[in-house]
Amino acid sequence: MASRSINDLHPLLAYAYGKAEMEWKLTNPKRPVPYLTATFRSMAEQTALYNQPTDKRDNDGDGKVDEADERVTNAKAGQSPHNFNPSYAFDVAFLDSKGNSVWSDLTLFNDFAKLVLKTSGITWGGNFLTLKDRPHFELTGWAGMPKK
Ligand SMILES: [Zn+2]
């Protein structure tokens, strides 16, 4: 199971997430609330995810779940910004008032991304050209940064 701890995040990401979450709660009191679903993910967990056939989600954002959405991730172990500690990426979902996770409402992701992106230096997966990944945020330029 990948870490969900904000403490495993690169400081800029932890700052951006915390600030966006607080602003969301203040300005969207009746909407589902964001939470972290993944920060650091080990190499073994990344491999398992890569080999997972489908998550039944519309990963490319074309409005339907089809062959193009087959892979949960294109990243093998060590190719994902989640595979380093501190993690260079985090994923979010939302919890409704009954405590259920919400993935299907794209406006939640789109609106939350606007808050996260107020902090510069972060790239949103919803802006990826291939395999759009709306729950995903990463440090811009992470691939060129020191890793452990
Ligand atoms: Zn991610």
Side-chain angles (χ1 to χ4, degrees):
M1 187 92 178
S3 170
R4 293 182 167 184
S5 174
I6 197 168
N7 296 324
D8 288 329
L9 278 181
H10 182 281
L12 184 75
L13 294 174
Y15 168 80
Y17 175 81
K19 186 165 167 282
E21 184 191 54
M22 191 184 306
E23 194 174 349
W24 179 273
K25 287 176 177 170
L26 289 171
T27 56
N28 299 280
K30 296 191 171 154
R31 298 176 81 186
V33 293
Y35 71 101
L36 291 167
T37 61
T39 56
F40 167 68
R41 183 186 301 134
S42 72
M43 299 288 182
E45 287 163 341
Q46 186 68 35
T47 297
L49 199 63
Y50 181 83
N51 291 330
Q52 192 177 307
T54 177
D55 59 358
K56 310 287 188 212
R57 274 164 50 199
D58 178 21
N59 290 308
D60 61 3
D62 65 356
K64 54 185 192 289
V65 176
D66 53 24
E67 311 81 60
D69 303 306
E70 195 172 325
R71 255 189 214 303
V72 179
T73 176
N74 280 328
K76 294 181 177 177
Q79 294 177 340
S80 164
H82 289 282
N83 298 152
F84 307 96
N85 201 344
S87 177
Y88 290 126
F90 64 83
D91 298 337
V92 300
F94 296 84
L95 276 184
D96 67 17
S97 57
K98 292 173 184 162
N100 297 316
S101 289
V102 183
W103 297 92
S104 54
D105 184 352
L106 298 185
T107 62
L108 292 174
F109 292 98
N110 295 346
D111 292 348
F112 187 65
K114 287 176 196 152
L115 301 184
V116 175
L117 295 177
K118 283 184 179 180
T119 302
S120 61
I122 295 174
T123 298
W124 178 39
N127 288 330
F128 288 170
L129 297 179
T130 57
L131 199 64
K132 283 194 193 305
D133 190 0
R134 285 182 178 79
H136 175 93
F137 296 84
E138 65 184 38
L139 200 66
T140 305
W142 67 270
M145 295 188 170
K147 300 180 189 73
K148 54 182 175 173

